[in-house]
Amino acid sequence: MFEIIQLLRKAKRPMRAVDIADTLGVSQRTAYRDILALQSMSIPIDGAAGVGYILRPGFDLPPITFTPEEIEAIIVGLALLPRTGDVGLQRAAQGVVGKIGDVVPKAAASRLTAASLDASGWHAVPKAKVDIALIRKAVRNEQRLAIQYKNAEGQVSERTILPLAVLYYVEAIVIAAWCEMRTDFRHFRVDRLNHCTLSDSTFSDIAHQLRADWQNQHGLT
């Protein structure tokens, strides 16, 4: 939603939801949902579906403030990202630093780029054959994934899964999902995926219940 505000602030003309969705890499449905959420929070966004949206002049976000320990938490968290092996998240981290630096006081911004805290980039996560960003997008947009998976015994299967979460462990990245072939929850190591394809089919109508059931089953609530 912050990204939508930034896009509308910079736009020279009304932006359609489809253009916002394409720019941010989300579904058009998600763009509409977030615009409605912003409007419900009294953000002065005018417009309508099919016409486009504008942000009325004069609106600005309140300044973001962090305590010294919160800034240190951000620094360490970003420094640990290379351990995930997720290149997309590492690139995104650089954008995070820039955006936070734009809205916090100069003294706080300088601490974000200081070398007073750091972490080793070492990790034991095997290299993935597929784009992890695609998997995160499927989780975010609640879209089915068609995968080819090789298990620990080397057996290969074709499956359609409903991805619920991406779990970053010390030695592997794992997808928590509902497997349509097994009609049950399963966990798939990303490094054992030979390929995966994003489906146009969504599962938004059952995603909330599936996540709740998965969390209950694994004691995460």
Side-chain angles (χ1 to χ4, degrees), residues 13-187:
R13 59 182 66 87
M15 287 192 73
R16 299 176 302 161
V18 63
D19 298 323
I20 293 171
D22 289 344
T23 302
L24 300 181
V26 299
S27 67
Q28 190 171 340
R29 178 177 177 175
T30 298
Y32 278 127
R33 182 193 66 198
D34 289 347
I35 289 169
L36 287 173
L38 287 167
Q39 290 173 326
S40 72
M41 292 186 287
S42 300
I43 306 299
I45 295 175
D46 293 331
V51 178
Y53 297 90
I54 61 170
L55 182 69
R56 290 203 300 270
F59 174 76
D60 206 353
L61 290 170
I64 297 176
T65 58
F66 295 104
T67 67
E69 283 201 335
E70 287 171 340
I71 291 176
E72 290 172 356
I74 293 169
I75 294 169
V76 173
L78 295 178
L80 287 170
L81 271 177
R83 295 190 180 188
T84 66
D86 190 327
V87 178
L89 286 183
Q90 293 172 49
R91 285 197 298 264
Q94 299 306 311
V96 170
V97 172
K99 287 176 181 176
I100 293 176
D102 287 341
V103 295
V104 299
K106 288 185 179 180
S110 66
R111 285 199 292 272
L112 281 170
T113 55
S116 55
L117 292 169
D118 204 357
S120 165
W122 175 88
H123 65 86
V125 177
K127 188 175 181 180
K129 300 175 185 176
V130 300
D131 185 358
I132 303 173
L134 184 72
I135 298 169
R136 287 189 279 103
K137 181 178 180 180
V139 172
R140 183 168 63 246
N141 293 345
E142 297 168 347
Q143 290 175 266
R144 286 175 170 82
L145 276 175
I147 66 170
Q148 185 183 83
Y149 188 72
K150 182 169 69 174
N151 66 17
E153 288 72 41
Q155 298 172 322
V156 177
S157 60
E158 303 277 348
R159 308 183 186 214
T160 298
I161 63 172
L162 283 59
L164 304 173
V166 178
L167 311 173
Y168 293 87
Y169 292 112
V170 174
E171 296 183 353
I173 300 174
V174 173
I175 310 170
W178 176 265
C179 177
E180 292 192 334
M181 184 174 78
R182 299 298 186 191
T183 62
D184 200 358
F185 296 109
R186 289 290 187 271
H187 294 85

